[in-house]
Amino acid sequence: PTEHYPEPPVDFSSRPAYFASCAPIAPTFKQRTQPWFAARSVACTASATASILGVGFGYSDNHFRMFDKQQQPQPLQAKSLPMEWGIRHEMCGIASVMRSFKQVQAYLSSEHQVLMPSKVCVCEQGLHFVSPSHPLVQDTIFGSPFNIVPLAASPDALMCCEGFRMLIEVKSAC
């Protein structure tokens, strides 16, 4: 990815085209970099969804407030100790999953009927936009190709090998 990525257009009618050009490469944006912040600044992210639905905390005062008076994107700020802990220890969580991969594999197979290959690679992930054609968003405001606020998430990692891809999000109880 480039060092600097274009900021989203202020004009709402131009945003669908911005997201269409951004979505294919956004997974390569390193989290907490300028391209990642630019791409997620006008999306409804997983971090904001719980607050929007009224079941989370920390973002309800800021969701969909996309620009300040100078039209600058508002970067995500960790507003709680658990979130800051998660940000700082994401890679430890990924390492723990990989260290216990055989147990994770057995659990997913027995409890959720998810078959995983015996060996996978793990790659850090940037931002993933949910396509407006995805079945889960059909008949919602996010299911329109003209949607100006798409759904997006930044999973912790991608487990993959030939013919297998699984996004993972690690949560820490500590």
Side-chain angles (χ1 to χ4, degrees), residues 39-56:
R40 78 186 303 278
S41 67
V42 290
C44 177
T45 63
S47 298
T49 301
S51 292
I52 291 167
L53 296 174
V55 295

Side-chain angles (χ1 to χ4, degrees), residues 12 15 41-43 62 64-68 72-74 149:
F12 286 105
R15 289 192 181 164
S41 67
V42 290
N62 199 30
F64 294 122
R65 186 185 66 173
M66 296 173 258
F67 294 96
D68 67 13
Q72 297 296 313
Q74 300 296 307
V149 184

Side-chain angles (χ1 to χ4, degrees), residues 25-95:
I25 58 172
T28 67
F29 296 161
K30 185 168 178 55
Q31 291 188 24
R32 304 200 177 339
T33 63
Q34 185 276 330
W36 182 80
F37 279 118
R40 78 186 303 278
S41 67
V42 290
C44 177
T45 63
S47 298
T49 301
S51 292
I52 291 167
L53 296 174
V55 295
F57 63 91
Y59 290 94
S60 58
D61 61 336
N62 199 30
H63 64 271
F64 294 122
R65 186 185 66 173
M66 296 173 258
F67 294 96
D68 67 13
K69 291 179 178 74
Q70 288 79 36
Q71 301 298 316
Q72 297 296 313
Q74 300 296 307
L76 169 70
Q77 299 293 325
K79 294 184 179 181
S80 68
L81 181 59
M83 182 174 285
E84 184 63 34
W85 175 271
I87 291 167
R88 290 183 182 196
H89 295 90
E90 275 179 356
M91 289 303 117
C92 295
I94 301 291

Side-chain angles (χ1 to χ4, degrees), residues 93-172:
I94 301 291
S96 178
V97 167
M98 295 313 295
R99 190 172 41 253
S100 308
F101 184 69
K102 293 292 181 197
Q103 293 90 339
V104 170
Q105 186 181 38
Y107 173 79
L108 289 174
S109 176
S110 68
E111 297 295 320
H112 300 284
Q113 294 71 51
V114 173
L115 299 177
M116 297 178 70
S118 59
K119 291 185 179 185
V120 295
C121 293
V122 176
C123 307
E124 181 180 355
Q125 291 296 286
L127 186 67
H128 289 261
F129 287 101
V130 177
S131 168
S133 62
H134 193 284
L136 292 176
V137 296
Q138 291 303 297
D139 301 320
T140 73
I141 63 166
F142 301 108
S144 166
F146 306 107
N147 182 17
I148 58 170
V149 184
L151 285 174
S154 297
D156 293 332
L158 169 69
M159 283 186 179
C160 59
C161 69
E162 191 171 329
F164 177 82
R165 295 170 55 89
M166 177 184 281
L167 293 169
I168 60 174
E169 180 71 28
V170 176
K171 299 299 177 196
S172 173

